[in-house]
Amino acid sequence: MRIGILGGGQLGRMLALAGYPLGLSFRFLDPSPEACARQVGELLVGDFLDETLLQRFAEGLDLVTYEFENVPVEAARFLAKRLPVFPPPKALEVAQDRLAEKAFMGGLGVPTPPFHPVDSLEELEEGLRALGFPALLKTRRGGYDGKGQVRIGSWEEAPKAFQALGGRGLVLEGHIPFDRELSILGVRSRTGEVAFYPLVENRHQEGILRLSLAPAPGTSQALQEKAETYAKKAMEALGYVGVLALELFQVEGELLFNEMAPRVHNSGHWTIEGAETGQFENHLRALLGLPLGSTAPRGHSAMANLIGHRPDFAQVLALPGAHLHWYGKAVRPGRKVGHITLRRDTWEGLAQDLPHLLTLAQAPERV
Ligand code: AMP
């Protein structure tokens, strides 16, 4: 079986690495000749909207998936006329728009932060009157890793925030004083079989995920079930196939939906070593209609991203239970270039070495 992947970043690279034991091979399409997945499969370089290139990409493939959520929906639809594309392009379309995804989940009865569409200064004022301060103004499309959003603390700040984000295609959200950020990863197979990983606690810095703890410490069964119900509703409504990630805010016993990613997700990297079956393998099993693997955690894991920093590999690997993933990308400030997963049998054992893990993962000037 030959699988096409739109996007050639680290998620694509890890998908291929998980697929080789299953006898799969991979072809990637990415605008950059430097895309790091080129190390593990054939890479076609060019524009996602170049139909001649898409045609060439599709040749000889059994199915197509994506590892990058800003792939133009038109590209996914063009390919879907020729061969199976999973997750369905509809999921890509919904997830690319912060307003559409909140309206979609809200429509399924999933709680979200209060939100208000903004295409004019009048609508922003209307929204601020309804939601109060502070509020967050976000671009509907294209923002990631905390980019494309501005906090508005007063009426005076509103016009500047509006201009800074381009003045249209925006959404205003009430600011949620959450206890913590969580994510749930669900996976749904072509056969309709579903499975869920345990809730993960995620800590961000400057809008970028720094640390995931899995299973999220101190999580009740009721909270896990609530998250699974939300993910299941989304997957069923979309006729979803593959891994779906929901990012959530926990406020006491409640979960509010923040955003979804129709792909394997950074907060699931711990599953490679920390779960019976990793997210990458389960995504591929789902696409192929093979039985899903167990999502049960193996002990407790912490995943720290390496952001613009190459640690001393020997120091990392000297830490018992540490697993290093280096994506083979050029190191640049703010760029995810690898991650370390630390896995231990007990939470206490993991917690003891967390400070050491974080020191290893951070560039020295940041510690
Ligand atoms: P986003 O790109 O929309 O996921 O936002 C990036 C980060 O901003 C989230 O991970 C949260 O830490 C924070 N954030 C986003 N929306 C809200 C909100 N409505 N209330 C409080 N914090 C938020």
Side-chain angles (χ1 to χ4, degrees):
M1 292 286 262
R2 195 161 178 77
I3 296 186
I5 302 185
L6 295 170
Q10 62 264 22
L11 300 178
R13 188 176 185 273
M14 287 186 272
L15 276 169
L17 293 174
Y20 285 124
L22 296 173
L24 306 173
S25 62
F26 295 87
R27 177 184 296 154
F28 300 93
L29 178 61
D30 196 282
S32 167
E34 301 294 311
C36 70
R38 74 186 189 285
Q39 303 156 14
V40 295
E42 181 191 356
L43 173 69
L44 300 190
V45 178
D47 196 293
F48 288 124
L49 291 171
D50 176 346
E51 291 192 354
T52 314
L53 183 64
L54 285 174
Q55 199 80 260
R56 192 147 67 80
F57 173 70
E59 210 137 294
L61 295 179
D62 294 287
L63 56 87
V64 165
T65 187
Y66 24 83
E67 61 92 75
F68 172 60
E69 79 200 58
N70 287 322
V71 166
V73 180
E74 301 89 303
R77 292 233 157 88
F78 179 86
L79 290 166
K81 287 197 197 110
R82 290 157 180 83
L83 73 176
V85 175
F86 299 123
K90 174 80 189 156
L92 197 59
E93 187 173 29
V94 171
Q96 282 177 356
D97 183 334
R98 285 200 170 81
L99 177 64
E101 66 185 347
K102 285 201 181 63
F104 170 74
M105 293 300 280
L108 296 174
V110 176
T112 69
F115 60 92
H116 192 91
V118 172
D119 284 302
S120 65
L121 209 46
E122 292 70 45
E123 279 173 337
L124 176 58
E125 283 165 8
E126 211 174 271
L128 287 169
R129 269 194 297 276
L131 306 184
F133 296 100
L136 290 172
L137 188 61
K138 302 182 179 180
T139 54
R140 284 173 59 174
R141 301 179 151 273
Y144 65 94
D145 284 348
K147 296 185 182 77
Q149 64 165 280
V150 180
R151 189 175 186 275
I152 303 181
S154 64
W155 284 113
E156 293 69 51
E157 290 169 20
K160 200 164 153 231
F162 180 75
Q163 297 306 337
L165 295 180
R168 55 206 289 266
L170 307 176
V171 57
L172 184 74
E173 288 179 26
H175 180 267
I176 305 298
F178 51 75
D179 302 330
R180 57 177 178 169
E181 293 189 70
L182 298 172
S183 58
I184 181 123
L185 269 66
V187 53
R188 185 170 184 271
S189 159
R190 269 170 105 158
T191 62
E193 184 188 359
V194 293
F196 302 92
Y197 287 97
L199 276 163
V200 179
E201 177 175 333
N202 299 311
R203 302 201 187 149
H204 298 86
Q205 241 175 46
E206 290 147 27
I208 305 181
L209 180 67
R210 298 279 157 170
L211 179 72
S212 290
L213 300 174
T219 302
S220 66
Q221 187 57 29
L223 203 69
Q224 175 73 27
E225 279 167 17
K226 195 172 271 188
E228 290 185 8
T229 307
Y230 295 167
K232 191 160 186 231
K233 279 186 180 185
M235 292 195 294
E236 282 175 356
L238 291 165
Y240 200 84
V241 175
V243 167
L244 174 74
L246 299 189
E247 295 184 25
L248 306 161
F249 299 143
Q250 182 180 359
V251 185
E252 295 178 354
E254 287 307 318
L255 292 173
L256 302 183
F257 166 81
N258 175 37
E259 57 176 8
M260 70 168 76
R263 53 168 170 77
V264 285
H265 194 251
N266 195 171
S267 72
H269 290 0
W270 66 275
T271 60
I272 298 175
E273 293 89 8
E276 191 62 38
T277 316
Q279 63 163 343
F280 300 98
E281 179 177 341
N282 257 340
H283 182 76
L284 295 168
R285 289 190 191 206
L287 265 40
L288 296 168
L290 294 169
L292 298 178
S294 165
T295 50
R298 291 149 80 177
H300 298 258
S301 298
M303 189 282 317
N305 272 331
L306 298 171
I307 297 166
H309 166 59
R310 185 187 199 279
D312 182 315
F313 285 9
Q315 271 181 23
V316 172
L317 298 173
L319 180 61
H323 301 271
L324 175 67
H325 293 256
W326 185 251
Y327 307 148
K329 291 160 67 167
V331 178
R332 280 192 227 121
R335 191 177 202 205
K336 290 177 186 169
V337 287
H339 73 265
I340 305 169
T341 295
L342 182 62
R343 199 207 68 78
R344 288 289 164 78
D345 290 336
T346 62
W347 165 244
E348 291 70 29
L350 182 68
Q352 201 169 32
D353 273 332
L354 268 186
H356 187 42
L357 171 69
L358 289 172
T359 307
L360 287 168
Q362 299 252 11
E365 68 270 18
R366 301 189 58 94
V367 175

